[in-house]
Amino acid sequence: MKTVVFICFLVTLLYLVSCCDEDTHYLKVDKCCKKCGPGKRMLKDDNCDDPRCQDCLDGEYQSGFTSDTKCERQPSCDPNLHFQPQMNPSKTSLSKCQCEAGYYCTQEDDCDTCRKRTVCKAGERVLIEGSQFGDTVCEPCKNGTFSTHESAVTCKEWTICEHGFDKNAPGSSTSDRICVDDRRAHRGAVVVGVVALLLILIGIAATLYFTKGNKCWKELHKHFNKGRSHEHLDVEKPIYQQPVEVDEPVSPSPSNVTENGNVVEQERGKEPVYPSAESNSYSYSYS
């Protein structure tokens, strides 16, 4: 009899379990009860057939049917840690954090850390582009190629100099080869040399001219003045003579003619008297 009762209990239990969907229902005291839908949580399980449910709060989510009274928390995506801020995160699914531009997540399943992507420098090219969960891979430019800026996708080939042109600057991983006309470069070097020589000569002449205290300048100045002094000695000075007065003939006029018609001769002036020293000699008479 006990065996029959046990078998009936097992059959009843198996029936209840089979008729209760595990995704949308749960078993409570041998009774199949409803769960709350996605994005909601259960307030009380007092009503098995019509439970009281409430929407998850902002920053929370519930991805499936549940009998739990709490919702799951969305991850905190802090912009100060280089995460993109979450705008209106979902309440029915997990909203994973994403790194801002130029950064990548270290773990794809749980993005909890952001790292800065590698920047390919000049002289390199991007071999593998960085992604949300992977770093950038760079490759150095091969010989004969170059790149001049960061994050270059390709490396350019060096310029090939044509016939008659010389390599003025060899190429490198960061710069192109420069080609110039060999003849023009030679003429330019000659012109530069001539200009440099002229500047040196002008500098020497200016130094000698403005530096009067220089010994060489003094010698040249002394020699020059000596030659000029000899020239002055050889020149004869002009001899100045006292002008001689000449008596001009007096032409007759009414003022210098007598009644008889004779010309009156003009009386010559007295001869000049020159002072002479007085004689101190006295004559004494002795009686």
Side-chain angles (χ1 to χ4, degrees), residues 144-286:
T145 61
F146 71 100
S147 64
T148 58
H149 59 275
E150 295 181 347
S151 303
V153 179
T154 58
C155 294
K156 299 179 181 179
E157 295 185 357
W158 292 345
T159 301
I160 299 176
C161 297
E162 299 179 357
H163 180 70
F165 287 81
D166 190 18
K167 293 180 291 184
N168 187 35
S172 65
S173 61
T174 59
S175 61
D176 192 10
R177 177 187 291 156
I178 300 176
C179 303
V180 295
D181 191 344
D182 190 21
R183 296 167 297 177
R184 185 177 300 174
H186 179 70
R187 290 195 297 268
V190 172
V191 171
V192 171
V194 171
V195 172
L197 181 59
L198 290 176
L199 290 177
I200 292 173
L201 294 177
I202 292 172
I204 294 174
T207 302
L208 293 176
Y209 180 78
F210 290 106
T211 310
K212 294 185 178 180
N214 189 281
K215 184 177 179 181
C216 181
W217 172 262
K218 288 183 177 180
E219 292 295 333
L220 290 174
H221 187 67
K222 182 179 179 181
H223 180 72
F224 179 72
N225 289 337
K226 184 177 180 181
R228 292 184 62 184
S229 63
H230 287 296
E231 291 178 1
H232 285 297
L233 292 176
D234 294 338
V235 176
E236 295 182 356
K237 294 183 178 180
I239 300 174
Y240 297 96
Q241 296 180 352
Q242 187 69 21
V244 179
E245 295 183 359
V246 180
D247 295 335
E248 296 181 357
V250 180
S251 57
S253 62
S255 61
N256 58 4
V257 176
T258 62
E259 295 179 355
N260 298 325
N262 296 322
V263 178
V264 180
E265 293 184 0
Q266 186 175 1
E267 185 180 4
R268 293 180 176 272
K270 295 182 179 181
E271 295 293 331
V273 180
Y274 297 97
S276 61
E278 294 181 358
S279 176
N280 292 329
S281 61
Y282 297 93
S283 59
Y284 298 92
S285 61
Y286 297 93

Side-chain angles (χ1 to χ4, degrees), residues 84 97-100 103-106 111 114 117 130-134:
Q84 293 182 4
C97 293
Q98 293 184 347
C99 296
E100 64 183 16
Y103 290 80
Y104 70 97
C105 291
T106 55
C111 185
C114 290
R117 293 180 190 171
S131 64
Q132 186 64 227
F133 303 100

